[in-house]
Amino acid sequence: MFYMYLYGYSTQQIADTLIAQERLSYFGKLCWTASGVASVLRNERHCGDVLTRKTYTENYRTHRTLKNCGEKPQSWYFNHHTAIVSRDDFNAVQRMLDNAKYGNKSILPELRVIDSGVLKGFVTINPRWAGFKEADYMNAAQSVYIEDDNVPSESQEPEEMTIQVEAGDFDLRGFEITRTEFFGGYTYPTVTFQDRKIKFSTECIKKFGTKNFVELLSHLQDMRRKTEAKGHSFSRVQ
């Protein structure tokens, strides 16, 4: 199933193929749907991992089961058991599913990086390209500085960093992330960043007017160099 999707078959085509071959589902039924195939492709257990508490009970009165979208703590156990699908193939399928969710018809999403000019090294963040991690954006920004001695030529995972803050700097240590519901700023234009989501408030949308296109640029490598230039030092956390 994973390899069929990687070769370009849609979830509906895979479902039709399974029905034609009379392949029974986990529950022993010959009833495959596109959403059912997508659910199987999303299951992390195929690559050897386990994600706990995917659902939770709303309360003791209704006993209604809801999907856990961050309301309750979860645990992800890597390499919990023997995988039947390689992690690379599993991750590629997840990106393709995320891509198709936003209407992108290309096989795999790509990051577009500006290779010259004032915005050299900036990477476009497009909501149709999902599933990328911090390391992907870091490597994309570094790719245009291959000939620059100040930037490593080999792609590598960004090191965990600790920042030594000097007197007078804005320090967020000790602060906690809180929910937007605790604030009454509905009359102000705000942007909220969440897991795979960016939300604009109603006032923010009004400010857009007829220009309903937003392009976000990220340059993690440039931010790191500027922070070092201001006197901050980065060191690996042991």
Side-chain angles (χ1 to χ4, degrees):
M1 188 180 300
F2 281 85
Y3 299 109
M4 291 179 66
Y5 196 76
L6 286 173
Y7 274 104
Y9 287 85
S10 66
T11 52
Q12 185 59 56
Q13 290 174 330
I14 295 176
D16 295 338
T17 301
L18 294 174
I19 294 175
Q21 294 182 354
E22 299 183 355
R23 297 295 182 89
L24 300 179
S25 66
Y26 175 79
F27 298 100
K29 297 181 179 180
L30 187 61
C31 181
W32 289 95
T33 61
S35 59
V37 171
S39 179
V40 173
L41 296 176
R42 288 289 192 185
N43 196 332
E44 77 288 343
R45 293 178 180 269
H46 292 98
C47 70
D49 298 344
V50 173
L51 175 63
T52 63
R53 208 170 191 178
K54 294 181 180 179
T55 60
Y56 68 97
T57 303
E58 182 179 28
N59 56 58
Y60 69 92
R61 293 181 177 179
T62 63
H63 295 283
R64 186 172 63 164
T65 301
L66 302 177
K67 184 178 180 181
N68 188 1
C69 297
E71 293 80 3
K72 302 294 182 180
Q74 295 177 297
S75 299
W76 194 301
Y77 298 94
F78 291 92
N79 301 320
H80 177 269
H81 53 273
T82 303
I84 60 176
V85 177
S86 69
R87 189 173 299 278
D88 289 340
D89 290 338
F90 179 80
N91 291 337
V93 168
Q94 304 316 301
R95 291 190 178 183
M96 292 173 65
L97 288 171
D98 291 335
N99 227 22
K101 180 180 178 181
Y102 294 100
N104 198 345
K105 302 301 182 181
S106 61
I107 296 179
L108 284 176
E110 296 180 353
L111 289 175
R112 184 174 66 88
V113 57
I114 301 176
D115 58 2
S116 61
V118 178
L119 298 179
K120 179 179 180 180
F122 279 85
V123 183
T124 302
I125 303 176
N126 193 309
R128 294 176 61 184
W129 298 328
F132 289 104
K133 305 299 182 182
E134 178 185 353
D136 299 320
Y137 286 97
M138 181 72 76
N139 292 335
Q142 289 179 350
S143 65
V144 297
Y145 295 100
I146 297 299
E147 303 300 330
D148 193 344
D149 295 333
N150 297 326
V151 179
S153 58
E154 297 181 357
S155 299
Q156 57 186 8
E157 295 286 333
E159 297 180 346
E160 295 182 355
M161 300 173 291
T162 58
I163 304 178
Q164 297 178 358
V165 183
E166 298 179 351
D169 290 337
F170 190 68
D171 188 3
L172 291 177
R173 290 179 298 180
F175 285 81
E176 296 182 0
I177 299 176
T178 186
R179 299 178 63 88
T180 56
E181 288 82 356
F182 295 147
F183 299 92
Y186 295 103
T187 58
Y188 300 97
T190 58
V191 181
T192 305
F193 293 86
Q194 297 179 345
D195 182 28
R196 299 187 181 184
K197 293 181 181 179
I198 301 177
K199 294 183 179 180
F200 297 92
S201 66
T202 303
E203 289 298 320
C204 192
I205 295 176
K206 290 180 180 179
K207 295 292 184 180
F208 292 158
T210 57
K211 300 178 180 179
N212 57 359
F213 178 81
V214 177
E215 185 175 25
L216 302 178
L217 300 177
S218 172
H219 197 330
L220 300 180
Q221 185 64 32
D222 186 62
M223 291 171 58
R224 183 170 182 172
R225 288 202 304 268
K226 287 182 178 179
T227 307
E228 291 174 342
K230 291 181 180 180
H232 301 320
S233 61
F234 294 81
S235 59
R236 186 176 183 82
V237 177
Q238 300 295 334

